[in-house]
Amino acid sequence: MTVFTELQEEPMRVGVLTGGGDCPGLNAVIRAVVRKGVTRHGFDLVGYRDGWKGPLEGLTRPLGIEECRGILPRGGTILGSSRTNPFSIDGGVEQIRANLAADGVDALVAIGGEDTLGVATRLADLGVQVVGVPKTIDNDLSGTDFTFGFDTAVNIATEAIDRLHTTAESHHRVLVVEVMGRHAGWIALHAGIAGGASAVLIPEQPFDIEKVCAHVETRFESEYAPIIVVSEGATPIDGGDMTLASGEKDAFGHVRLGGIGDRLANEIEQRTGKEARAVVLGHIQRGGTPTAFDRWLATRFGLQAADAVAEGDFGTMMALRGTSIVRVPLIEGTGVLKVVSDQEYAEAQVFFG
């Protein structure tokens, strides 16, 4: 008797990585990709550690439903992250291709911001099957109304501003709050409005230090201690290097920024004679528990990313448009940064002064 056995098709093997700066909500995306990938699409998933360094060096870890239990409210990323750029390394792209083949990985889900998704875009053009999920606390990726991580960062900055009002008023000081934002001032603008700041300085609008100091004087005349929120990438209108902490650059060519808060406070104190202090929130904005909105958005992105892989819709990025999650070409998210427009900044001025 002849016995015929049906050959079973092997499950699709999908790699997941998180790159660039960490932010709240990354674990929610990972969890959603895994849960839907396993239960609905039958994926076999593998986690690549430390951003693009993972597939570049073959650094993997198990990634299944069990590994994702309890991670929804956790900040950071269980996969680790880095600012590795395979295109700046000789033979980097070829090594990634070789490691993906060796690991039996059919497709990648890359979760990251401008740089991470920029690498994903170039790899997709070279034939690597990849989909992207937009992540950045700066909210500066085009193609999507919001990125997860932004809402948490704004809430953290707003709470800090709320707390600083009372100490500023008690000591009759100027307090300068430095928040993240290299090229875009979304965090500063949203947190400044929500926290009732006296002024907001952003990279898109070079500031006049004399006008800032005049504004400080006016606020003290009304017996109000001013709070000034400044993005790390803001610059004075007459140029200068107030934003540079060092000349060190990362793998993507970005100079490390920071220090404008201290320099601005010193200028204000010297020019007005009023005591001024700086508070740098720095990585506090990246850490801790994600807000409900960021968990919701990150989860929806992850679910849609799993579907995109299953449908073979590669070279796309998940995006929020209104209340819907849609897919757009990766280049739409990384081609041009989304910045605060002149109109948006002008409309916000009614709250400052």
Side-chain angles (χ1 to χ4, degrees):
M1 181 177 68
T2 304
V3 178
F4 294 95
T5 58
E6 199 174 76
L7 292 177
Q8 287 189 332
E9 184 179 342
E10 293 211 2
M12 190 173 192
R13 189 162 169 80
V14 180
V16 181
L17 64 83
T18 55
D22 69 299
C23 80
L26 283 166
N27 287 323
V29 181
I30 296 168
R31 173 178 176 268
V33 170
V34 170
R35 289 183 69 88
K36 192 163 194 180
V38 171
T39 61
R40 295 291 178 86
H41 302 305
F43 292 163
D44 175 22
L45 290 114
V46 59
Y48 278 107
R49 294 164 48 200
D50 303 334
W52 288 112
K53 184 179 180 181
L56 184 66
E57 300 182 9
L59 306 175
T60 65
R61 59 158 289 172
L63 192 61
I65 290 178
E66 188 61 37
E67 285 77 18
C68 293
R69 295 192 190 282
I71 69 172
L72 179 62
R74 285 175 55 185
T77 164
I78 62 170
L79 296 178
S81 190
S82 74
R83 296 192 182 278
T84 303
N85 180 3
F87 285 94
S88 68
I89 299 170
D90 288 341
V93 174
E94 292 73 17
Q95 191 60 50
I96 284 181
R97 286 179 178 277
N99 285 331
L100 291 178
D103 295 332
V105 170
D106 303 298
L108 275 175
V109 175
I111 310 165
E114 171 197 2
D115 297 324
T116 301
L117 295 187
V119 171
T121 302
R122 294 177 68 181
L123 289 175
D125 291 340
L126 294 173
V128 177
Q129 298 189 146
V130 58
V131 301
V133 174
K135 167 246 42 161
T136 170
I137 65 170
D138 294 326
N139 198 42
D140 59 1
L141 286 181
S142 297
T144 182
D145 291 348
F146 287 100
T147 55
F148 69 89
F150 173 67
D151 186 68
T152 302
V154 168
N155 274 273
I156 291 169
T158 301
E159 182 180 355
I161 295 168
D162 288 345
R163 292 176 178 276
L164 290 170
H165 274 294
T166 54
T167 185
E169 292 165 3
S170 297
H171 291 275
H172 312 292
R173 289 174 177 153
V174 183
L175 284 179
V176 178
V177 185
E178 180 183 321
V179 300
M180 286 185 169
R182 174 182 296 273
H183 302 296
W186 294 110
I187 294 177
L189 187 64
H190 282 235
I193 291 175
S198 307
V200 169
L201 310 179
I202 61 175
E204 296 90 333
Q205 301 284 338
F207 62 87
D208 185 331
I209 186 63
E210 291 187 5
K211 289 184 178 180
V212 172
C213 291
H215 178 64
V216 167
E217 296 276 18
T218 300
R219 299 306 287 167
F220 275 112
E221 288 173 6
S222 63
E223 298 186 353
Y224 183 88
I227 302 283
I228 298 174
V229 181
V230 58
S231 299
E232 62 182 347
T235 57
I237 201 167
D238 56 355
D241 62 351
M242 291 181 73
T243 62
L244 298 184
S246 72
E248 181 182 346
K249 295 184 179 181
D250 65 18
F252 292 91
H254 301 310
V255 177
R256 180 184 295 179
L257 299 184
I260 190 170
D262 282 323
R263 296 174 192 185
L264 186 60
N266 288 337
E267 283 289 326
I268 291 172
E269 188 164 311
Q270 289 176 15
R271 291 170 183 250
T272 67
K274 305 296 184 183
E275 185 179 5
R277 301 287 178 85
V279 177
V280 182
L281 296 185
H283 288 76
I284 291 173
Q285 296 157 94
R286 291 193 182 281
T289 301
T291 59
F293 178 85
D294 277 341
R295 297 186 206 188
W296 169 84
L297 180 57
T299 296
R300 293 187 70 196
F301 277 160
L303 296 175
Q304 186 67 219
D307 287 345
V309 171
E311 295 166 18
D313 195 5
F314 301 114
T316 58
M317 182 189 84
M318 309 308 108
L320 177 68
R321 297 283 179 85
T323 58
S324 301
I325 305 297
V326 300
R327 303 172 197 166
V328 301
L330 270 167
I331 191 63
E332 282 194 26
T334 59
V336 179
L337 287 179
K338 179 178 66 182
V339 297
V340 178
S341 69
D342 292 347
Q343 180 181 352
E344 288 168 308
Y345 189 67
E347 288 175 349
Q349 295 309 302
V350 69
F351 297 106
F352 309 132

